[in-house]
Amino acid sequence: MGKVAIIGVGQSSFVRGYAGSIRELAFEGFREAVKDAGITSKDIGASIICSAPEYDKQRSPAGVFAEYLGLVPQPTCYLESLCSSSSMGLRMAYSLVASGLHDSVAVIGFQKMSEISSAESQERMGRGADIQWESPFGTMMPAYYAMYAQAHMAKYGTRPEDLALIRVKASTYGQINEKAVYRKAVSLEMFSDPGSPMSGPVASPLRVGDCCANADGSSCVIVTNEEKARSLSKKPVWILGLGAASAPVNLAGRDLFTGLSVARQAADQAYKMAGVTPKDIDVAEVHDCFTIAEMMAYEDLGFAEAGQGKELIRAKETYKEGRIPVNVDGGLLSKGHPIGATGGSQIRTIVLQLRGEAGAMQVKNPEIGLVHNIGGVGLYGNVSILGR
Amino acid sequence: MAAKKEADIRFSKFGTVSFTAITKVNDFVDFLEQGKVMGSRCKDCGLMFFPPRADCHNCLAGNMEWFEVTGKGKLVSYSSLAFAPIGFGDDLPYTIALVDYGQYKVFARLSPGLKPEDVSVGMEMKTVANRLPNGQLNYVFERA
Ligand SMILES: [Zn+2]
């Protein structure tokens, strides 16, 4: 079985209230990826369209997008695993290419969240949990992650200020990422300033500043076999390892509340497949839908021992110049989190980093990068390891 | 012409807003009415399930019996909400929580009389059936 490469990446700007329809939004990420790869729509053998359902009126968006993007009559389908949809799309594209069924596949992620109100959006996200047994208690995504934060604080002495430091880091890079939805600085002081919106309570112990920015956006990743990658691309990035796992949807079915079992399992698989260890990772994108999620990712991915994630951020080791740079594009916290597009955007960031094309966000000479993308509250987890 | 059999939608009584009307464990709601919080146990392999389920994935069978959630569990974690999803705003402020009974765990809310500052992780709690102001049924945690 030959190697599988990524030869093109693209994303739209992540924005509030995208002024266009979902097919037009998808076109933006797709166009950038196709131009990046230096190919045409005709070179793409199949497409996988990824998003979290119920944000749009359009049923079965795959066919609509394929037609609009010039990907007809090639096969297309819709795939979802909530916020990790496009990383799951990468996994499926890998298997379609590695099997020899297709020599190239486009993974297209999108989300237009602004067509519904914030309260409606929270209600839909809440229904990504167990609607029979948990949603009737009035659950929301931030409150679930807040329960993980509370447990992490109780067990390890992690402080709210440690979480705030993660948001401060995200804003450092959100300010220099022209595709980020939140471009402003966030300081630690804002979290204790009652006059700052960042300090407002959401779900204890999480505050407004601990939560990612909703956004509209699209992303696209073009995956090919080795032969096609070598003939088409000067700088192919290879998919070295892929891991994926699921967990009980109901918190009552879980055993771990200071980390995400899906992340640990997916990371183990991906490290093993790639034949690398956490120490070999030069740059990472992790799923920081909430600050606590990045803290747990440090530990679940093996960048820090369990409970020691706070030391990493206190020492700024996850900044661009640190030992293991994490989310130096602003992350979900500042770049924004258009659910179905998020994984593809994380992959794009790592591909650009490995090619040395990340501009002001470039870390020094990375060879191996990692993408950690979580769906729901640790319901689905994907870890992908990429290399030059 | 025979009268159409009425659908058994008892589960629509569960929670502030129920998103499920019909389930094979509808009797759970009748037990709640009687003040009992019940889980299910597989008679073949002994696995205990909370929340209760009609089918055992271990035995691929539906040979279940009810058991009552009694005694003390330990508070695993909790969070107090400042915002609520649509339909839950009248309940604010409320605190969701998880309690570990060893063989199973229970997800619910703290009793409205319990403030989040009154609890801490590891504290002993009990689960009690509860009637909500809107007439719906759920279960909540109280200090054991
Ligand atoms: Zn059984």
Side-chain angles (χ1 to χ4, degrees):
Chain A
M1 196 171 77
K3 295 203 285 184
V4 177
I6 296 171
I7 66 160
V9 289
Q11 74 164 83
S12 71
S13 286
F14 288 178
V15 298
R16 282 203 185 273
Y18 176 72
S21 65
I22 54 171
R23 71 191 73 181
E24 293 157 357
L25 177 58
F27 188 82
E28 297 204 14
F30 177 74
R31 175 178 55 198
E32 189 176 285
V34 169
K35 286 187 171 179
D36 179 51
I39 59 172
T40 71
S41 303
K42 297 284 164 282
D43 296 316
I44 295 169
S47 59
I48 302 172
I49 311 301
C50 312
S51 80
E54 282 200 48
Y55 288 92
D56 325 292
K57 291 273 190 295
Q58 181 68 55
R59 290 186 68 205
S60 198
V64 176
F65 285 19
E67 190 262 323
Y68 197 75
L69 305 178
L71 294 172
V72 167
Q74 299 98 305
T76 185
C77 70
Y78 180 69
L79 180 152
E80 76 93 1
S81 59
L82 297 172
C83 327
S84 67
S85 296
S86 43
S87 281
M88 192 57 94
L90 181 74
R91 183 178 175 87
M92 296 304 158
Y94 180 95
S95 59
L96 287 176
V97 169
S99 67
L101 207 51
H102 292 288
D103 55 14
S104 64
V105 175
V107 179
I108 296 159
F110 79 99
Q111 210 77 57
K112 189 168 182 223
M113 302 176 71
S114 61
E115 287 186 353
I116 55 177
S117 73
S118 180
E120 285 176 307
S121 155
Q122 285 298 343
E123 189 262 351
R124 277 163 182 69
M125 283 192 262
R127 283 193 288 113
D130 180 343
I131 63 149
Q132 186 171 348
W133 294 103
E134 287 186 355
S135 303
F137 285 102
T139 58
M140 292 196 304
M141 292 288 279
Y144 279 114
Y145 266 103
M147 288 177 73
Y148 279 81
Q150 191 78 53
H152 202 275
M153 288 173 176
K155 183 166 183 187
Y156 297 121
T158 307
R159 300 173 309 182
E161 304 81 69
D162 295 321
L163 301 183
L165 287 176
I166 286 174
R167 181 57 202 263
V168 172
K169 174 175 69 72
S171 80
T172 304
Y173 301 110
Q175 290 172 79
I176 57 170
N177 183 349
E178 61 186 23
K179 294 205 171 189
V181 66
Y182 194 87
R183 305 289 310 274
K184 289 184 264 187
V186 178
S187 68
L188 190 56
E189 292 69 40
M190 288 178 181
F191 281 80
S192 49
D193 174 5
S196 166
M198 292 292 156
S199 69
V202 174
S204 65
L206 299 183
R207 297 169 281 184
V208 171
D210 291 301
C211 306
C212 66
N214 282 350
D216 298 343
S218 67
S219 63
C220 178
V221 178
I222 295 170
V223 176
T224 71
N225 62 19
E226 183 169 3
E227 184 190 347
K228 203 152 180 167
R230 294 208 189 275
S231 69
L232 292 173
S233 179
K234 285 195 195 71
K235 290 182 181 175
V237 165
W238 306 102
I239 300 174
L240 304 181
L242 294 175
S246 63
V249 61
N250 198 311
L251 289 204
R254 299 187 188 180
D255 296 318
L256 178 67
F257 299 96
T258 51
L260 299 179
S261 63
V262 291
R264 295 183 182 186
Q265 290 159 354
D268 282 348
Q269 296 165 26
Y271 285 134
K272 192 173 175 202
M273 180 173 163
V276 302
T277 71
K279 285 190 175 59
D280 298 315
I281 305 301
D282 300 312
V283 58
E285 281 282 297
V286 309
H287 195 87
D288 59 334
C289 49
F290 301 94
T291 50
I292 181 61
E294 178 165 326
M295 180 70 76
M296 292 193 294
Y298 294 164
E299 301 169 10
D300 291 337
L301 295 170
F303 300 155
E305 296 289 315
Q308 296 304 304
K310 57 184 182 295
E311 306 299 341
L312 268 192
I313 187 65
R314 285 176 191 170
K316 293 197 164 188
E317 294 284 19
T318 49
Y319 275 70
K320 198 175 68 164
E321 302 77 14
R323 178 162 65 77
I324 171 66
V326 174
N327 292 359
V328 293
D329 61 356
L332 284 60
L333 288 165
S334 277
K335 185 179 62 179
H337 182 25
I339 309 172
T342 289
S345 169
Q346 293 178 301
I347 293 162
R348 171 180 175 270
T349 291
I350 294 299
V351 167
L352 295 180
Q353 287 283 352
L354 294 174
R355 288 191 200 150
E357 296 173 359
M361 296 170 274
Q362 184 66 48
V363 310
K364 201 179 164 194
N365 199 26
E367 291 182 2
I368 298 176
L370 179 148
V371 174
H372 157 282
N373 191 192
I374 302 296
V377 184
L379 176 58
Y380 312 117
N382 287 75
V383 172
S384 310
I385 297 176
L386 311 177
R388 292 194 297 201
Chain B
M1 199 172 74
K4 197 177 164 193
K5 198 176 160 218
E6 222 173 293
D8 175 3
I9 57 162
R10 280 174 290 162
F11 207 78
S12 54
K13 288 278 285 178
F14 177 64
T16 304
V17 177
S18 176
F19 301 96
T20 308
I22 299 171
T23 162
K24 290 179 181 175
V25 293
N26 267 347
D27 286 353
F28 180 82
V29 170
D30 291 344
F31 284 118
L32 270 187
E33 296 263 16
Q34 299 160 29
K36 290 178 180 168
V37 181
M38 305 294 277
S40 66
R41 175 168 35 219
C42 174
K43 287 199 223 174
D44 297 330
C45 73
L47 268 184
M48 294 171 87
F49 297 104
F50 194 90
R53 36 190 293 167
D55 308 294
C56 178
H57 56 67
N58 191 32
C59 303
L60 299 182
N63 193 16
M64 293 287 192
E65 60 187 0
W66 292 97
F67 72 87
E68 188 172 358
V69 172
T70 57
K72 299 172 193 171
K74 282 204 161 78
L75 184 61
V76 175
S77 195
Y78 58 96
S79 174
S80 208
L81 284 78
F83 300 95
I86 289 172
F88 295 85
D90 291 346
D91 290 357
L92 284 172
Y94 58 89
T95 302
I96 58 173
L98 184 71
V99 168
D100 187 359
Y101 278 83
Q103 283 185 285
Y104 56 88
K105 299 183 183 77
V106 178
F107 182 96
R109 284 185 193 171
L110 295 187
S111 156
L114 259 187
K115 294 194 171 58
E117 49 270 31
D118 299 333
V119 300
S120 58
V121 168
M123 183 177 272
E124 290 194 321
M125 311 292 288
K126 61 183 180 182
T127 308
V128 298
N130 177 55
R131 188 173 292 277
L132 288 147
N134 68 359
Q136 294 281 101
L137 297 161
N138 70 359
Y139 41 93
V140 295
F141 301 126
E142 289 178 353
R143 252 195 285 218

